[in-house]
Amino acid sequence: MNKIEAEKGISTKPKTDKEVLLDIQNLKTYYPVKGGFLKRTVGNVKAVDDISFTINKGETLGLVGESGCGKSTTGRTILRLLKPTEGKIIFEGKDITTISGTRLRKARQDFQMVFQDPYASLNPTQSVGEIISEPLKNYKSMSKKDIKDEVMDLLSRVGLPPEAYHKYGHEFSGGQRQRIGIARALALKPKLIIADEPVSALDVSVQSQVLNLLKELQDEFKLTYLFIAHDLSVVKHMSDRIGVMYLGNLVEIATNDSLYAEPLHPYTQALISAIPEPNPKKRKKRIILQGDVPSPQNPPSGCPFHTRCPMAKEECSKVKPILKEVKPGHHVACILY
Amino acid sequence: MVNVTAGTAKPQEKSINMSPFAIARRKFLRNKLAMISSFFLLTVIIFSFLAPYITTQDITKVNISLMSLEPGGEHVLGTDKSGRDVFTRLLYGGRISLVVGFSCTALVILFGTVVGSIAGFYGGVVDSILMRFTDFVLNFPFLVFVIVLNTILFGIVNGLYVLIGVISLLSWGGVARIVRSKILAEKENEYILAAISIGCKPSKVIIRHLLPNVLSTIIVQATILFASMIVAESALSFLGFGVPQSIPSWGNMLSASQEADVLRDKPWIWMPPAIILVITILSINFIGEGLKDAFNPKSQR
Ligand SMILES: Nc1ncnc2c1ncn2[C@@H]1O[C@H](COP(=O)(O)OP(=O)(O)O)[C@@H](O)[C@H]1O
Ligand SMILES: [Mg+2]
C-alpha cells in the first residue's frame, strides 16, 4: 500500500518540477565607509554585488568562496539581519525584502541561522535551557512544562545529554556548542536554515560529526539548507548544488556532479585544483592564482576576476559577464562560454 | 569516591552549572580587602540608618550652654559651636550623605544606561543625536548650574531633591559613553544576530542579551560613581551650595572647619566627618576594585 502511495506521489510530482523556496534576485549589500571629519559616507564596501540564485525545497545549496568574498553578508542579508542595498528576496513566493516590524518578526520563524563562531554565538549569561527555549517563548504560547519538554527533545535530537539543560555555554567544547546553536535554530521548525561555515572553527575530528548531524536533521525535518563554506571539500559532501562566489559576485552555479566533473569558470577550476587528491594518478596540476584579491571597496571594472585570471583577455576588463546557462542547470559568468 | 574517574568529566571541582555571575560572586567573596571594605561600609550604613535608635540627642536644636564641648562624658565626640552633639550629627549626616550619594548614583546609572544602550544598539542617526546631546550635557558648567538652580528653586522645592536632581541630570554623560562603547563592542557578537533571528524585539535584545553582558562594567561604574557622588555632595555642601544648612550631612559638618578657630583649636568638630568620609570613600573604591577583579575572566580563582 505504501508503495502505491509512494508511486502516486512521484507521478503527481515529477522530479523536474521542483518547488522554489527562496528566490534571490539581483541582491546587493553594501557597507558604507565613513570618512572625513564629518563622518560622511565616502564609499561603499561592495560585499555582495548583484547576485541571483534560487534554492528549491528540500535541497542543499552550497556557497563557497575565499574568506571576505561576501558569503556571510549574503546569508545575513537573506535573513534580513542586514539591510539589502538593492534587489529582491522572495521566500515562498512572498517578497520579504522590505517588510519590517511585526511582519518581519513573524516571518523570521521560517528561516534560521547556524553561526560560524561557536563561542560568540551563544550568550554567555544564559543557560542552555534558556538559549533553546527563547525562540519558543517568543513565538509560541506554550506552558512552561511543554516548553521544557520540547527543549529536552531538541537536546536529545542534536545529541546532547539532558544535564546540558542547566549548564552554561562555557562548560562545553566547540562541537557541543555548535550543537546547542543547531538546537536553537531548529526550535521553531524553520523551513530554511542558513549554515554559515558551521564547522570551520571546529577540530577536524568533530567536523564530520556535526556535518552528519546536519544531514540527519535535514531528512528528519525536511529542511532546506544554504550551506556556506570557504573550501570545496566540506561543501562537496553536503550539497546538491554549489554556487561559487568571488568578490561579491556569483561566478558559477551548478549541480554538485557537474561542477566537479567539469568546472567552467577559471576561478572554480583553480579552487578545485587546490583540493588535496589522495590518489596520485588522478592528481592534476594545481593552478596557482597570481596576485591578491582586489578590495571590494574598489572592485575591478568588467569581470571581477580578470586581474587574477590565467585566461584573461582584453575585453574582460571592459564587459562584466552575466551568469548564463551553458548546460542544463550549469550557469557560469565568463566570456569564454 | 573511587569511581569518580569513570566519566570523562574534567576535575573542575565545583564550577559545574555556574553562571558567569556565580563565578564572579565566588571570586569576590575570596577577596579579603573587598570583604573588609564591604563589612565597614555595611556598618556605616547600618549605624546611619539606625541613628534614631542609637542616640536620642536633638540634631537641630541650638543649645548655647553646651557650645563647643570637648569629647567625653555625655557627648562622646563633643559638641559643635551651636552646642549640638557631634556623634548624633555624624550618624544623621551619614544618612543624608549616603542617601544623596545613592540616589544620584541610581539616577545617573539609569539615565546613562538607557541613553548609552539605545545609542549603541541602534547606531546611525539615533546614535549621533544622542551622543551630541551627551557631549552637550558633559560640557555644561556644573558648579554654575547647581548654584543658579539652587538659588532659583530655593524654598519652592525641598533643597535635597534639587541637589539630587541637578547632580544626576548633569552627571550621566560619562556612563552613557562607557555603556555605548561596551554595547558597540558586544553587539558584534553573533549571539545578538541569533537573538534577532529567533524573534526578540529590539527592547528584548537590549535588556536580555546586551545589558547582562555589560552589567559588570555598569556595576563597577556604579561603585566608582557612588564614591564620587558622596564626594560631590560633601564638596557642594562644604561650599554652601549643597544640602541645606539645616540638615546635617558630612559635607555640612566639614564646612565648620572654614572657621579658623575650629580648624585650629576644635578638631573634634571637623575630624570625625573627615575621617569617616575618607574611610567610606576608600572602602567603596576597594569594593569597586574587587568587583572589577571578580568580573575579569582572566584573573585567577
Ligand atoms: N560590518 C561591516 N562593515 C564594513 N565592511 C564589512 C562588514 N562586514 C564585512 N565587511 C566586508 O565585507 C566583505 C565581505 O565580508 P563577509 O561577508 O564577512 O565575507 P565572508 O563571509 O565570505 O568571509 C569583506 O571585505 C569584509 O571586510
Ligand atoms: Mg564569513
Side-chain angles (χ1 to χ4, degrees):
Chain A
M1 206 169 78
N2 277 339
K3 215 175 176 185
I4 297 169
E5 270 178 14
E7 275 169 11
K8 256 189 193 168
I10 289 167
S11 64
T12 49
K13 265 192 193 155
K15 245 190 163 178
T16 47
D17 177 33
K18 288 174 195 151
E19 243 183 294
V20 173
L21 181 72
L22 181 73
D23 185 4
I24 302 299
Q25 300 171 359
N26 305 97
L27 190 71
K28 294 183 186 177
T29 308
Y30 294 173
Y31 295 105
V33 181
K34 307 272 185 194
F37 73 112
L38 280 176
K39 279 205 192 157
R40 261 183 312 199
T41 304
V42 293
N44 286 308
V45 175
K46 301 181 176 176
V48 176
D49 201 9
D50 198 348
I51 65 174
S52 305
F53 60 86
T54 59
I55 305 182
N56 298 322
K57 266 194 187 140
E59 79 167 344
T60 300
L61 176 68
L63 197 60
V64 282
E66 285 161 290
S67 158
C69 71
K71 306 179 299 290
S72 297
T73 307
T74 306
R76 290 173 183 185
T77 310
I78 292 171
L79 298 194
R80 290 294 315 278
L81 296 168
L82 288 171
K83 205 173 168 303
T85 309
E86 255 182 70
K88 276 206 167 120
I89 307 160
I90 294 166
F91 185 83
E92 287 197 307
K94 285 191 289 268
D95 188 344
I96 59 160
T97 325
T98 52
I99 59 169
S100 60
T102 316
R103 281 185 64 202
L104 177 58
R105 222 154 17 79
K106 272 227 169 88
R108 287 195 190 286
Q109 297 181 67
D110 287 335
F111 37 85
Q112 291 293 316
M113 190 150 186
V114 175
F115 294 90
Q116 176 174 0
D117 184 343
Y119 292 90
S121 59
L122 303 180
N123 183 343
T125 61
Q126 284 185 313
S127 69
V128 172
E130 287 171 320
I131 290 172
I132 304 177
S133 59
E134 195 165 16
L136 298 170
K137 286 180 190 154
N138 282 344
Y139 287 104
K140 309 262 152 82
S141 44
M142 288 159 72
S143 72
K144 271 204 176 123
K145 194 188 164 293
D146 287 351
I147 287 183
K148 182 157 186 193
D149 291 347
E150 181 73 32
V151 172
M152 286 301 182
D153 183 48
L154 284 162
L155 281 176
S156 77
R157 278 176 202 256
V158 299
L160 288 169
E163 303 89 78
Y165 189 89
H166 293 289
K167 293 193 182 179
Y168 288 82
H170 66 87
E171 298 169 57
F172 295 93
S173 67
Q176 288 172 314
R177 292 174 68 109
Q178 215 50 330
R179 287 172 192 264
I180 299 168
I182 292 170
R184 170 178 61 194
L186 211 60
L188 294 167
K189 306 279 148 30
K191 291 169 184 155
L192 172 72
I193 288 187
I194 296 186
D196 186 2
E197 305 198 28
V199 297
S200 66
L202 305 180
D203 284 351
V204 179
S205 55
V206 197
Q207 288 192 353
S208 58
Q209 295 171 15
V210 173
L211 292 178
N212 286 337
L213 171 67
L214 285 169
K215 272 193 164 170
E216 284 165 31
L217 295 171
Q218 179 166 39
D219 296 339
E220 203 173 331
F221 295 100
K222 312 252 175 311
L223 296 168
T224 306
Y225 284 147
L226 174 62
F227 188 91
I228 298 173
H230 66 260
D231 70 311
L232 272 167
S233 45
V234 173
V235 163
K236 191 175 179 180
H237 301 287
M238 291 297 293
S239 317
D240 301 307
R241 286 191 303 140
I242 297 176
V244 180
M245 272 186 88
Y246 182 80
L247 206 62
N249 289 262
L250 197 61
V251 295
E252 184 163 1
I253 183 166
T255 61
N256 207 346
D257 301 336
S258 183
L259 192 88
Y260 281 95
E262 202 184 343
L264 296 177
H265 199 282
Y267 180 62
T268 317
Q269 288 166 0
L271 282 185
I272 287 181
S273 80
I275 302 176
E277 170 59 63
N279 184 349
K281 280 180 191 152
K282 277 191 184 173
R283 233 173 253 170
K284 285 186 198 152
K285 207 171 141 251
R286 181 160 178 198
I287 306 167
I288 310 280
L289 292 174
Q290 302 297 316
D292 293 326
V293 185
S295 155
Q297 198 179 332
N298 198 359
S301 62
C303 173
F305 188 56
H306 84 260
T307 55
R308 300 172 78 198
C309 183
M311 281 164 241
K313 297 177 181 158
E314 212 192 308
E315 63 236 74
C316 288
S317 63
K318 292 177 188 135
V319 195
K320 184 168 177 175
I322 54 159
L323 205 62
K324 60 182 176 214
E325 188 161 17
V326 292
K327 286 195 295 177
H330 197 137
H331 304 251
V332 65
C334 180
I335 56 157
L336 295 174
Y337 304 96
Chain B
M1 282 293 126
V2 186
N3 41 10
V4 166
T5 47
T8 48
K10 286 179 225 156
Q12 254 198 344
E13 45 148 349
K14 282 177 200 148
S15 78
I16 289 166
N17 298 356
M18 276 174 87
S19 76
F21 287 110
I23 293 171
R25 189 175 58 214
R26 196 177 55 172
K27 273 198 227 166
F28 185 79
L29 291 176
R30 288 181 181 175
N31 182 333
K32 285 206 188 73
L33 191 55
M35 284 314 288
I36 294 170
S37 300
S38 310
F39 179 75
F40 179 81
L41 186 65
L42 211 63
T43 314
V44 171
I45 292 172
I46 290 172
F47 267 81
S48 301
F49 284 87
L50 293 182
Y53 303 99
I54 295 169
T55 102
T56 48
Q57 303 271 353
D58 196 314
I59 45 163
T60 46
K61 204 172 118 207
V62 177
N63 196 333
I64 301 175
S65 62
L66 297 173
M67 266 165 52
S68 306
L69 292 182
E70 287 194 24
E74 204 187 326
H75 302 284
V76 191
L77 294 175
T79 60
D80 66 6
K81 287 191 87 180
S82 309
R84 298 169 296 197
D85 183 53
V86 172
F87 180 67
T88 307
R89 280 177 64 86
L90 196 63
L91 294 187
Y92 279 91
R95 225 174 169 182
I96 297 299
S97 292
L98 290 172
V99 164
V100 171
F102 184 82
S103 317
C104 290
T105 305
L107 287 172
V108 163
I109 290 288
L110 182 70
F111 291 155
T113 303
V114 168
V115 172
S117 54
I118 290 176
F121 178 71
Y122 285 99
V125 185
V126 178
D127 183 30
S128 299
I129 293 173
L130 286 176
M131 283 343 265
R132 287 305 79 74
F133 181 56
T134 306
D135 290 343
F136 171 72
V137 171
L138 274 172
N139 289 319
F140 232 77
F142 182 76
L143 209 52
V144 176
F145 202 72
V146 174
I147 295 168
V148 169
L149 262 187
N150 248 349
T151 318
I152 296 172
L153 294 172
F154 183 77
I156 305 170
V157 191
N158 184 332
L160 211 52
Y161 296 146
V162 176
L163 185 70
I164 293 171
V166 171
I167 295 183
S168 308
L169 279 177
L170 294 179
S171 310
W172 54 266
V175 175
R177 275 195 183 166
I178 291 168
V179 170
R180 170 182 172 271
S181 72
K182 280 279 163 188
I183 296 260
L184 276 180
E186 198 64 33
K187 79 167 179 181
E188 290 304 314
N189 285 314
E190 285 178 334
Y191 71 82
I192 298 302
L193 290 177
I196 297 171
S197 65
I198 59 170
C200 296
K201 291 179 191 151
S203 57
K204 197 172 180 196
V205 176
I206 293 177
I207 294 167
R208 293 265 307 163
H209 294 273
L210 283 168
L211 286 182
N213 283 290
V214 301
L215 191 62
S216 56
T217 308
I218 295 177
I219 291 174
V220 172
Q221 278 303 308
T223 41
I224 298 169
L225 261 174
F226 187 38
S228 55
M229 288 299 156
I230 294 176
V231 173
E233 179 279 322
S234 300
L236 285 171
S237 302
F238 182 84
L239 296 174
F241 301 113
V243 176
Q245 282 297 321
S246 55
I247 309 171
S249 82
W250 290 340
N252 275 346
M253 292 175 75
L254 272 175
S255 65
S257 68
Q258 282 168 338
E259 288 172 49
D261 67 313
V262 173
L263 189 61
R264 207 173 340 109
D265 305 325
K266 304 184 178 99
W268 66 86
I269 296 182
W270 60 270
M271 285 282 262
I275 291 169
I276 204 106
L277 191 63
V278 168
I279 303 181
T280 303
I281 300 303
L282 275 180
S283 36
I284 295 173
N285 281 328
F286 286 137
I287 293 171
E289 284 297 318
L291 288 171
K292 210 192 271 179
D293 212 40
F295 284 124
N296 181 1
K298 288 182 198 88
S299 73
Q300 290 95 7
R301 269 177 295 162

